[in-house]
Amino acid sequence: MTENAWLWVGFVGMAIGSVLILAQMGRKTPGEEAHGVIHAIVPMIAAGLYLLMALNQGSVTIDHGREFLYARYIDWSITTPLLLTGLALTAMDDLRKRLGLVLGLIGADVYMILTGLEAGYSPTSSADKWIWFLMSCGAFLAVYWVIWWPLRAEARKAGNATTYTRNAAILSVLWLLYPVVFLFGTDGLLIISPALSAVCFTVLDLVSKVGYGMLSTAETNAKFS
Amino acid sequence: MTENAWLWVGFVGMAIGSVLILAQMGRKTPGEEAHGVIHAIVPMIAAGLYLLMALNQGSVTIDHGREFLYARYIDWSITTPLLLTGLALTAMDDLRKRLGLVLGLIGADVYMILTGLEAGYSPTSSADKWIWFLMSCGAFLAVYWVIWWPLRAEARKAGNATTYTRNAAILSVLWLLYPVVFLFGTDGLLIISPALSAVCFTVLDLVSKVGYGMLSTAETNAKFS
Amino acid sequence: MTENAWLWVGFVGMAIGSVLILAQMGRKTPGEEAHGVIHAIVPMIAAGLYLLMALNQGSVTIDHGREFLYARYIDWSITTPLLLTGLALTAMDDLRKRLGLVLGLIGADVYMILTGLEAGYSPTSSADKWIWFLMSCGAFLAVYWVIWWPLRAEARKAGNATTYTRNAAILSVLWLLYPVVFLFGTDGLLIISPALSAVCFTVLDLVSKVGYGMLSTAETNAKFS
Ligand SMILES: CC1=C(/C=C/C(C)=C/C=C/C(C)=C/C=O)C(C)(C)CCC1
Ligand SMILES: CC1=C(/C=C/C(C)=C/C=C/C(C)=C/C=O)C(C)(C)CCC1
Ligand SMILES: CC1=C(/C=C/C(C)=C/C=C/C(C)=C/C=O)C(C)(C)CCC1
């Protein structure tokens, strides 16, 4: 299958995924409804940006022939804050109790994606690319730190430790694969082909948006029933 | 009158409109003040983007000579969420009661505008244009659904049904004219001239931002007095 | 020192500044934590955008040779709303009491920066430049008005008048220097050199982000201890 075919797979998968989550989510309390809507919006946004890429409207050609799919970073800069907001809602019901912590978490995450965008955009094997890559990894460590220390402490206090730790672990492993694919793919060392990069990101995106979203929504349903 | 003249009319009209709403709005309660400020900000933003277009800084030439006024979509992507937030405040005083619903409404609305931007940007009579157009219309239907079902139910519960239904009806009819003008105008089938497109959008924008905003502000004043 | 050297000074200074504020801030109450995180995020964002400019990735060449550093305006459009939110938190503990006022303040501020971006981007000595410049100054006056009238009245009511008035005064003087440097610098009349523009903005940015941020954080610590 070509790169383009995988982008269409992403579009269709995300569209179906968002309908599934909309059908699955509960609406009994304001908190339950908000948590469900957040997980349903994530694949909708991704569907739009996969369509953009599939129609060849979400990329530019740079570096004498490299196709840079900037639309991925637009997707991630909106959907990763939503996913982390979902995780924070799994830890504690009222985010205002630790508003500063949530702001810091989302700030570090957006920082990671936007410095990652600059890393991807910088010329292959330039020093600039690795400066941005390191900045992005630093922000990623900050995200991990908030997830595994202060936010987990909140989850324990609120009696949500089991669900929270499971979700944090799944999310931590899945997200770690993104910089790995980046490193070997077209935006990094150019070792694997554009088509293989596209397979990896499509599968990763479907699992971390639709798969993870359905798991989290099922947990929320169970909690409020 | 030329297209450019109509853009200047838009600028002046929006500037006057925002001053009028600032003068008209009440400030007795936090809710009243917030609702008024929302309606006053809408034409201010539009004034800025009309000025940008009037100075020929808010468009690009694409498709061998078509002038694409992308600034319209920047305006709409900020002002339509504000107008819908105003409508939600007409339905219920505390948006947190249905935060998920409001998030979903604004999400669908921004989706409509950004897929509409892609529709407008795609080459005239390309398949891409109609794919994006249909996506945008789908999101528009989702906006209508939230307005006429769950949000109206909230308005009834809160005793705001009469005002809410009137505003929702006016908004629904006015907003429906946007895709119609789009369809025949320069971003769609290119049947009507750029000047006629500009007249239609200027008039529509003045009515749905300034006219509707003054009506809604007058209702809020009446409610809190 | 060259323009580029000053951009590196900005990067290093902002990076150190954000670490200092993170170390300094208290976390005893949700309000104290949120206020501290806001001041710590400001230099982090600036560090990212100074790095972008230092690597020559945050500018375009326009007007037959003028280098336009648009990254400054991206920085300011995010950091100035954060700084004003911090000032509003100094005035009153719960921003929801005057949500409309805070929205209006931030709206006027973002308006100032984005019309300023257009002013900077418009050709040197064109009429367009001065139209945008005047719009930006108008929005700046609105920012001053909110700071010195309604927000100061809130600070008095809440018993925060002394700290608030000091911070508002420092902020008002520092911020006033920005349009002055703009006016004589590369985005304005082109009277001073790019290197001198860069010195001025780097020093101003360090003082209004790191210096002011540390002062405000020290005050918050004192208040909650
Ligand atoms: C650290 C790092 C990265 C991390 C990316 C991550 C963690 C992305 C997660 C995306 C998700 C979860 C999307 C959707 O659901 C980049 C940007 C590849 C660039 C290089 C360094
Ligand atoms: C459905 C649809 C559209 C709808 C636009 C609307 C509904 C715009 C409303 C604008 C308002 C109300 C502005 C200001 O007050 C587009 C984008 C034209 C593109 C094609 C499909
Ligand atoms: C009025 C005016 C301006 C004001 C800028 C200000 C007030 C910037 C403040 C920046 C700060 C405080 C940054 C970081 O901490 C511009 C945009 C130069 C353009 C011309 C008119």
Side-chain angles (χ1 to χ4, degrees), chain C residues 71-189:
Chain C
R72 291 206 184 286
Y73 299 88
I74 302 183
D75 169 346
W76 297 344
S77 70
I78 315 170
T79 57
T80 57
L82 290 171
L83 290 169
L84 291 177
T85 306
L87 186 68
L89 286 169
T90 300
M92 52 189 168
D93 297 317
D94 189 350
L95 299 187
R96 279 170 300 168
K97 266 187 301 180
R98 294 300 301 272
L99 190 57
L101 192 68
V102 175
L103 278 179
L105 175 63
I106 290 176
D109 170 66
V110 174
Y111 213 90
M112 169 185 83
I113 300 298
L114 295 182
T115 49
L117 165 72
E118 285 303 320
Y121 183 69
S122 296
T124 308
S125 65
S126 63
D128 296 7
K129 195 178 220 62
W130 304 113
I131 296 177
W132 289 117
F133 185 78
L134 286 180
M135 298 265 292
S136 183
C137 291
F140 197 17
L141 290 180
V143 170
Y144 274 156
W145 182 79
V146 175
I147 290 178
W148 287 102
W149 274 261
L151 204 54
R152 191 160 59 131
E154 290 299 326
R156 278 213 203 88
K157 262 193 254 166
N160 296 324
T162 318
T163 321
Y164 177 82
T165 307
R166 180 175 51 228
N167 289 11
I170 297 173
L171 190 146
S172 295
V173 173
L174 283 174
W175 288 35
L176 191 58
L177 299 172
Y178 280 88
V180 174
V181 176
F182 176 97
L183 195 60
F184 296 105
T186 45
D187 289 356
L189 296 166

Side-chain angles (χ1 to χ4, degrees), chain C residues 12-25 27 39-41 43-44 47 210 214:
Chain C
V12 174
M14 293 297 174
I16 296 174
S18 61
V19 173
L20 291 178
I21 297 178
L22 274 182
Q24 175 197 13
M25 66 175 271
R27 293 167 176 80
H39 278 299
I41 282 178
M44 275 183 219
V210 180
M214 294 186 75

Side-chain angles (χ1 to χ4, degrees), chain A residues 33 44 48 52 57 96, chain B residues 96-98 111 118 122 132:
Chain A
E33 185 178 56
M44 275 182 219
L52 195 75
Q57 296 179 325
R96 279 169 300 168
Chain B
R96 278 170 301 167
K97 267 189 300 181
R98 294 299 302 272
Y111 213 88
E118 284 303 320
S122 296
W132 289 117

